[in-house]
Amino acid sequence: MSDQDTQKTQPSLTTTEIMTIILGCEQTLRFVQASPNYQQIEASERFSTSNDLKMGDAVQALMEIHEAILNIEFYSQVEGQTYAFNDSLTA
């Protein structure tokens, strides 16, 4: 498959869709994190990741990505840049 074929098959998402997906993932992870069953799993002495990451770290990362996108949109609008992200542009 050529690079051109790969580009044609990749989904094209608006900034709003990207933000919705990120926020949905964040809420889903918070739901899992609040589950007593998951809390028991994470509290186990056998629970280990290569970087000592926990579910809260994933939630925090998604929050930071969301904030970074909001910052790009804000500064793009303030500076009046022609490449400002909006719903008509796709990622």
Side-chain angles (χ1 to χ4, degrees), residues 7 11 16-17 25-26 35 44 46 51 58-59 66 68 81-82 90:
Q7 289 176 353
T16 299
E17 290 168 332
C25 290
E26 179 188 331
S35 162
S44 168
R46 294 183 180 174
N51 293 319
V59 170
H66 178 257
Q81 297 176 357
T82 58
T90 57

Side-chain angles (χ1 to χ4, degrees), residues 71-84:
N71 285 339
I72 289 172
E73 289 185 322
F74 174 78
Y75 287 112
S76 295
Q77 290 173 5
V78 167
E79 296 170 359
Q81 297 176 357
T82 58
Y83 58 87

Side-chain angles (χ1 to χ4, degrees), residues 41-64:
I41 291 167
E42 193 174 270
S44 168
E45 64 183 39
R46 294 183 180 174
F47 182 86
S48 176
T49 63
S50 62
N51 293 319
D52 294 325
L53 297 174
K54 306 276 182 165
M55 187 69 71
D57 297 313
V59 170
Q60 181 66 33
L62 288 172
M63 288 172 42
E64 289 181 22

Side-chain angles (χ1 to χ4, degrees), residues 2-18:
S2 71
D3 287 340
Q4 192 174 32
D5 291 336
T6 301
Q7 289 176 353
K8 289 179 185 177
T9 60
Q10 291 180 347
S12 180
L13 301 171
T14 66
T15 303
T16 299
E17 290 168 332
I18 292 168

